[in-house]
Amino acid sequence: MSGCEARDAKKLVRSPSGLRMVPEHRSARSPFGLDEPHWVPDKECPRCMQCDTKFDFITRKHHCRRCGKCFCDKCCSKKVPLPRMCFVDPVRQCAECALISQKETEFYDKQLKVLMNGATFFVTLGTSDKSELMVCRLSNNQRYLVLDGDSHYEIEIIQISTVQILTEGFTPGGGNTRAIGMVLQYKIPGSEELRQMKFTAGEDLSCNKKLSASWLAAMHKATKLLYESRDQ
């Protein structure tokens, strides 16, 4: 097994919430992941935290696997996939958390694959007036943004500070906009210096504008998940 494969190795663990397939090394976890929440202790929740129904021998209490709060069966009946916590099977969640997890399903089922497949952009470094045509993709372990052209760059996702999606077609009265690029600011490990890259979708026929726009939309969603993971 190579060094990279060893770092990315996973193990099956059982927690009170269910079975999880997690990286053997915490440093190898996905930057979009979430830690399991601490469950509200049973003694601190005599009533459902949603409908205020009192718990007894008939009305049992259940913990939402996403927020850790305590609910009755009616308010915490849905079992929904929760890939951000590496659960193998769908897990019990309250109505509010289930809705959030369902919305994230599109990212994991579709947009993550779009990011890994990559798209082609003209990439400009810093204040340079020169750009280079590069294929940009998310690494399979989700931890790096990989850029390949005449040059090669790998940017750690956790080092990304800001992502600004560039659009065109906006009108004051509203209307359709199209993502045409992005400005990325990131740090080099061990340094507080911010570096910047600008990605612009190519205008020639060899570059698929629709693919580029889909990739940028997926990157926008990935950024939101990244910020949520940091704020946990």
Side-chain angles (χ1 to χ4, degrees):
M1 183 182 291
S2 69
C4 288
E5 289 174 333
R7 285 195 301 272
D8 293 338
K10 295 185 178 182
K11 60 183 178 180
L12 191 65
V13 299
R14 181 182 292 279
S15 74
S17 299
L19 283 173
R20 302 169 66 218
M21 185 65 76
V22 301
E24 288 193 358
H25 302 281
R26 185 171 175 82
S27 61
R29 62 173 287 183
S30 166
F32 309 117
L34 294 173
D35 290 328
E36 283 189 83
H38 292 292
W39 283 12
V40 174
D42 287 351
K43 62 182 179 180
E44 294 181 13
C45 52
R47 295 176 177 274
C48 174
M49 300 178 78
Q50 177 65 41
C51 70
D52 206 36
T53 296
K54 186 176 181 179
F55 296 123
D56 53 31
F57 289 111
I58 298 175
T59 306
R60 295 180 57 203
K61 62 184 64 174
H62 301 277
H63 285 86
C64 172
R65 272 50 174 173
R66 186 178 180 113
C67 68
K69 294 179 181 179
C70 207
F71 303 92
C72 67
D73 183 69
K74 182 179 178 181
C75 294
C76 194
S77 62
K78 294 187 177 182
K79 289 192 175 182
V80 179
L82 186 45
R84 291 185 75 183
M85 291 184 190
C86 303
F87 284 109
V88 175
D89 301 308
V91 290
R92 188 185 291 269
Q93 298 176 57
C94 66
E96 183 178 349
C97 286
L99 186 61
I100 295 171
S101 295
Q102 286 169 341
K103 289 181 179 178
E104 291 172 353
T105 299
E106 181 184 0
F107 175 76
Y108 279 91
D109 286 351
K110 299 178 182 178
Q111 293 173 315
L112 199 54
K113 295 172 185 174
V114 170
L115 289 174
M116 290 178 179
N117 287 337
T120 304
F121 296 92
F122 285 105
V123 178
T124 307
L125 300 179
T127 57
S128 172
D129 56 359
K130 295 182 179 180
S131 61
E132 181 179 340
L133 191 62
M134 308 188 82
V135 175
C136 308
R137 63 179 179 84
L138 184 69
S139 64
N140 290 336
N141 60 21
Q142 304 172 20
R143 299 203 311 275
Y144 295 91
L145 187 61
V146 180
L147 289 73
D148 278 310
D150 291 336
S151 307
H152 176 82
Y153 300 96
E154 292 187 7
I155 300 171
E156 279 192 85
I157 296 295
I158 59 172
Q159 298 295 338
I160 293 175
S161 299
T162 61
V163 175
Q164 178 189 0
I165 302 297
L166 306 175
T167 61
E168 68 175 8
F170 175 78
T171 58
N176 294 327
T177 60
R178 181 171 64 92
I180 58 170
M182 71 176 179
V183 175
L184 187 77
Q185 289 189 320
Y186 64 98
K187 294 178 181 177
I188 300 296
S191 171
E192 291 301 310
E193 178 189 355
L194 273 180
R195 297 194 178 184
Q196 179 172 297
M197 280 186 176
K198 182 178 180 181
F199 298 69
T200 308
E203 293 299 324
D204 60 338
L205 295 177
S206 65
C207 293
N208 189 323
K209 290 184 180 179
K210 186 175 181 180
L211 177 60
S212 298
S214 296
W215 194 92
L216 290 167
M219 189 65 188
H220 185 240
K221 178 63 176 178
T223 304
K224 288 184 176 181
L225 298 187
L226 180 64
Y227 293 159
E228 287 173 10
S229 295
R230 288 174 178 171
D231 292 340
Q232 185 183 49

